[in-house]
Amino acid sequence: MKTYPLKIFVRHILLVRLAAAALLLALIAGAVTYFYQKEQLSRQVADIGRQGIAALTRRVLETAKRQNIEPLAALSQVMAAAAEMPAAYRSGRFVFVQFYDRNGTVAAEGSAPEPRAGEAGQSLVKVRPFIFPEADRVEAETLRMADGMFVVSVVPITDRPGAVKGYARGVFAVSAETAEQMRGAVLRSALIVVAIVCGVTAVLYPVILQLTRRLADFSAGLLDANLETLAVLGSAIAKRDADTDAHNYRVSLYAVRLGEAIGLGAEAMRGLIKGAFIHDVGKIGIPDAVLLKPGRLDADEFRIMQTHVELGVEIVDRASWLRDSIPVVEAHHEKFGGGGYPRGARAQEIPLAARIFAIADVFDALTSERPYKKPLSFDETMVILEQGRGVHFDPALLDAFAGIARALYDAFAGHDGAELRKFLVAAVDRYFSAGMESLFYG
């Protein structure tokens, strides 16, 4: 049983496809993780901005409470007392802050001492409409600019009963170090997911490989068993009819070479090979008195002999693996110009495989020795085939066969089964092994 080439095929294809699937899955999982973590990063930055503006607001409210003054008045004192505006935090600093009364009028504002930072904060505030959140809500938006990452936050300022007295809006610049740490965390998370996917694939590969190779062994063994059954069935027919396998071998080889000459596809070629080898399987059901009669059959006996076609189709149809041979089994006695049996089909009504086989079958019959005749020479055979052009044979196929007939005659005509078997085995391996690979992996 030849399974090693199939194993190699399975291993290579499995490795490539698993690697491709792992890469695709890793990219998808990594991208999902990256964007999820990026969203989480935006939320973290927004929290930093909210916390910063809330802390600044608390200072204002504490001043208002301590001095028993209005929050906006306390704001003015806090702003005036600040040596440097705005205050710096570990994760960043405010570059611009505005405080509003309940009507949205600016009561006070401050910006970073560096002109560039302050201008960046002011530009962000100007291009965004002011939002008046409810007392228990804080609005925050994360923005990315050439100067870095910023958070624009709006926090309501309330009195003790919880009534809104004003609003604080601040632009918080996230420090480069904090932003880099957050981006690093996002990338690490994505890379970890990719590594996990690749690691799981690496662990699963030998397991899947072992199971797939076992399946390949089983599939190859099943193919061998089917081919052996085909050979036994063909041999049984040949032994009963002519006591030799040579006819089946030769017609199969002739049919294969003609199929190759016209560019017949691999799938059609497999059906042709099966049909050629068991084309006369129905003769198993023909009585010996008719099948083995040495002389010419009378009309009734010939009608009985013709039933081997229907019997053959009935036998083959019971096996799904052999059903693609039915066109040859059923139609190999049809004639291109009509008048054949069982249906009297004509021209293209006859399956292509049957038209191919008809030429191969007659060519072998003419060039082979029979109990009732001597083999004809190559030239005599080709003359007879030419006489059947358009009557018995497809003219286009006959032209294709004429180009290879001499080589076939020299290589196989008159040879016995032992010499022919190795050539037929090579053809079977070429088309049936390739068929398995394309069926399972192609």
Side-chain angles (χ1 to χ4, degrees), residues 357-426:
F357 180 78
I359 295 174
D361 191 29
V362 174
F363 182 78
D364 183 67
L366 295 175
T367 57
S368 299
E369 184 175 359
R370 293 287 188 268
Y372 52 85
K373 76 169 192 67
K374 294 293 183 180
L376 299 182
S377 68
F378 174 76
D379 292 334
E380 292 171 324
T381 299
M382 295 308 295
V383 169
I384 294 175
L385 289 180
E386 185 61 30
Q387 291 171 353
R389 172 183 293 271
V391 178
H392 193 163
F393 309 116
D394 183 330
L397 293 178
L398 194 61
D399 289 339
F401 185 74
I404 61 173
R406 182 78 231 190
L408 295 179
Y409 179 85
D410 293 339
F412 305 124
H415 290 214
D416 61 25
E419 294 177 279
L420 299 170
R421 180 179 173 80
K422 63 180 181 179
F423 295 102
L424 185 59
V425 167

Side-chain angles (χ1 to χ4, degrees), residues 3-44:
T3 59
Y4 186 72
L6 185 56
K7 288 180 182 179
I8 293 295
F9 180 87
V10 168
R11 187 172 69 218
H12 289 175
I13 293 299
L14 180 63
L15 179 60
V16 170
R17 294 197 176 181
L18 270 181
L23 178 60
L24 179 62
L25 184 59
L27 290 175
I28 294 174
V32 170
T33 302
Y34 176 79
F35 287 109
Y36 173 78
Q37 291 294 336
K38 192 175 180 181
E39 180 63 25
Q40 292 296 101
L41 172 61
S42 297
R43 293 178 182 176
Q44 292 175 21

Side-chain angles (χ1 to χ4, degrees), residues 108-314:
E109 67 179 30
S111 62
E114 300 90 343
R116 184 174 179 179
E119 291 173 2
Q122 292 182 49
S123 64
L124 287 174
V125 168
K126 289 178 180 178
V127 298
R128 272 156 184 78
F130 185 75
I131 299 174
F132 297 91
E134 298 178 1
D136 57 347
R137 292 193 59 185
V138 176
E139 297 291 337
E141 181 182 7
T142 303
L143 305 167
R144 291 172 178 80
M145 297 178 60
D147 293 329
M149 186 180 297
F150 299 87
V151 180
V152 179
S153 303
V154 181
V155 178
I157 301 173
T158 59
D159 58 14
R160 289 183 180 180
V164 176
K165 295 295 185 180
Y167 303 92
R169 178 161 70 164
V171 178
F172 188 85
V174 181
S175 69
E177 181 181 2
T178 299
E180 185 62 30
Q181 289 175 351
M182 290 181 172
R183 282 193 292 267
V186 171
L187 291 176
R188 281 194 299 273
S189 298
L191 290 175
I192 287 172
V193 171
V194 171
I196 291 173
V197 171
C198 293
V200 170
T201 302
V203 171
L204 290 178
Y205 171 69
V207 177
I208 298 175
L209 176 61
Q210 180 64 23
L211 294 175
T212 308
R213 291 181 70 174
R214 290 177 63 183
L215 178 62
D217 284 340
F218 176 78
S219 299
L222 182 61
L223 174 62
D224 285 346
N226 284 334
L227 292 175
E228 287 171 0
T229 301
L230 180 68
V232 169
L233 185 59
S235 179
I237 302 163
K239 292 293 184 182
R240 186 164 185 267
D241 189 16
D243 196 32
T244 177
D245 293 332
H247 171 65
N248 284 343
Y249 291 154
R250 285 193 300 267
V251 293
S252 297
L253 285 168
Y254 296 157
V256 166
R257 296 297 173 83
L258 179 52
E260 291 173 340
I262 65 169
L264 197 64
E267 183 178 355
M269 191 70 80
R270 290 191 287 274
L272 175 61
I273 292 172
K274 295 176 193 177
F277 209 74
I278 59 171
H279 63 282
D280 277 337
V281 63
K283 287 185 177 180
I284 292 176
I286 301 300
D288 288 351
V290 175
L291 182 66
L292 303 180
K293 182 178 179 180
R296 189 178 185 86
L297 300 179
D298 60 29
D300 290 336
E301 290 170 335
F302 186 65
R303 280 192 293 270
I304 293 174
M305 179 64 78
Q306 287 180 325
T307 63
H308 82 275
V309 171
E310 288 85 356
L311 292 173
V313 172
E314 182 180 343

